[in-house]
């Protein structure tokens, strides 16, 4: 068992899951006037839902909770809150995943109060039911065992953070100035259950950036 269970998500899965989500929304009869993408994780599914549901109006709001891959911050914050008149409109707020749910609750409460829409519903690709503070109106997959979904739009960022976490927390590497690449690759698989080859060019680029940022030589 890896220390951090990770599911490496492909672009094809994103399209398939977003289509599955769109079908649930259509079957429910809900016809949103506009979609609100929660930045940054909701952008790609929100854009796909615009296409799949024939929706023209797409807005965004940035709510942030997880500052580092697989590590939650104390609480979510709303970056750049703004007001827009949504009276008389039905909205669909879209994000990638409800984990704790903090991010979406904050965004939803703010939108309801400040934008005053007629109705607001929430749609996500994944819902981690045992830990989430609420159940979204629409989800494609209910996740019963906590997993970090490594979505394709955050692959370089996550891979760097995964490596940095090993360098920080793994006793075998702590404080080292030079590390054998093969040792790091084996540790990466132990920690996350992913073989670096599966990451292709992202792995090479992440290694290059991490060694630049940390002054650790990977040989
Ligand atoms: P939360 O407020 O805990 O529901 O999560 C906020 C955001 O952090 C999500 O919209 C994702 O972008 C990211 N995130 C949280 N948990 C996960 C996870 N298990 N896998 C992938 N991304 C996650």
């Amino acid at each position: 068992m890896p220390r951090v269970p990770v599911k490496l998500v492909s672009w094809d899965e994103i399209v398939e899951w977003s289509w599955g989500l769109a079908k649930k929304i259509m079957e429910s009869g809900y016809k949103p006037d506009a979609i609100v993408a929660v930045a940054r994780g909701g952008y790609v599914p929100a854009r796909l839902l615009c296409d799949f549901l024939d929706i023209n109006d797409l807005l965004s709001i940035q709510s942030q909770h997880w500052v580092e891959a697989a590590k939650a911050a104390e609480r979510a914050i709303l970056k750049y809150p703004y007001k827009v008149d949504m009276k008389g409109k039905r909205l669909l707020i879209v994000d990638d995943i409800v984990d704790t749910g903090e991010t979406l609750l904050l965004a939803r409460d703010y939108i309801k109060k400040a934008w005053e829409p007629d109705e607001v519903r929430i749609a996500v690709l994944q819902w981690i039911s045992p830990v989430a503070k609420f159940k979204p109106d629409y989800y494609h997959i209910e996740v019963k065992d906590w997993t970090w979904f490594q979505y394709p739009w955050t692959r370089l960022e996550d891979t760097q953070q995964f490596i940095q976490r090993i360098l920080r927390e793994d006793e075998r590497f702590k404080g080292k100035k030079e590390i054998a690449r093969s040792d790091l690759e084996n540790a990466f698989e132990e920690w996350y259950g992913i073989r670096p080859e599966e990451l292709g060019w992202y792995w090479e680029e992440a290694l290059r950036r991490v060694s630049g940022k940390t002054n650790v030589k990977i040989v």
Side-chain angles (χ1 to χ4, degrees):
M1 272 294 278
R3 285 204 211 185
V4 182
V6 176
K7 154 83 180 139
L8 199 61
V9 181
S10 70
W11 285 109
D12 283 350
E13 282 171 312
I14 293 301
V15 176
E16 190 190 312
W17 296 348
S18 301
W19 176 236
L21 190 58
K23 283 197 284 194
K24 286 190 178 160
I25 298 163
M26 287 186 283
E27 280 158 15
S28 77
Y30 189 57
K31 291 199 169 51
D33 299 295
I35 285 183
V36 184
V38 178
R40 297 174 291 165
Y43 267 62
V44 176
R47 183 62 187 89
L48 290 171
L49 285 180
C50 283
D51 191 25
F52 300 160
L53 299 172
D54 287 330
I55 294 173
N56 201 37
D57 292 5
L58 174 60
L59 294 88
S60 171
I61 191 145
Q62 186 158 13
S63 181
Q64 195 167 309
H65 186 205
W66 294 68
V67 285
E68 184 188 321
K71 283 217 147 184
E74 282 281 301
R75 62 165 69 93
I77 54 155
L78 208 60
K79 281 185 155 182
Y80 318 112
Y82 63 98
K83 286 197 181 186
V84 53
D85 184 2
M86 285 287 166
K87 284 190 200 80
K89 299 216 189 270
R90 286 181 301 265
L91 302 181
L92 183 70
I93 304 181
V94 177
D95 206 352
D96 45 8
I97 187 165
V98 173
D99 187 323
T100 63
E102 301 264 1
T103 302
L104 269 164
L105 286 178
L106 183 70
R108 185 194 60 188
D109 291 350
Y110 175 78
I111 287 169
K112 274 189 173 173
K113 207 165 146 213
W115 298 6
E116 300 180 70
D118 270 15
E119 193 175 351
V120 174
R121 293 194 192 177
I122 290 179
V124 295
L125 300 176
Q126 272 80 40
W127 168 46
I128 311 192
S129 55
V131 293
K133 295 202 167 104
F134 75 101
K135 183 179 179 182
D137 302 289
Y138 307 100
Y139 56 89
H140 181 64
I141 295 171
E142 176 181 355
V143 180
K144 299 262 176 65
D145 297 310
W146 190 91
T147 302
W148 182 262
F149 284 77
Q150 205 304 289
Y151 297 113
W153 49 80
T154 181
R155 189 145 293 158
L156 193 51
E157 188 176 304
D158 282 5
T159 307
Q160 288 182 71
Q161 290 175 358
F162 284 165
I163 296 170
Q164 280 172 311
R165 185 161 173 197
I166 294 177
L167 299 183
R168 240 185 9 246
E169 294 180 21
D170 191 313
E171 294 299 334
R172 294 169 292 185
F173 303 109
K174 264 186 189 170
K176 290 246 168 85
K177 287 274 158 267
E178 200 171 284
I179 288 172
R181 188 189 164 100
S182 57
D183 291 344
L184 185 59
E185 291 180 344
N186 290 335
F188 191 87
E189 193 178 350
E190 279 168 40
W191 269 71
Y192 306 107
I194 304 173
R195 298 199 48 73
E197 303 92 87
E198 294 177 73
L199 296 165
W201 70 269
Y202 286 99
W203 176 253
E204 301 304 322
E205 184 60 19
L207 280 185
R208 203 182 62 73
R209 291 193 190 188
V210 168
S211 82
K213 285 175 191 166
T214 58
N215 284 325
V216 174
K217 239 170 109 189
I218 298 159
V219 291

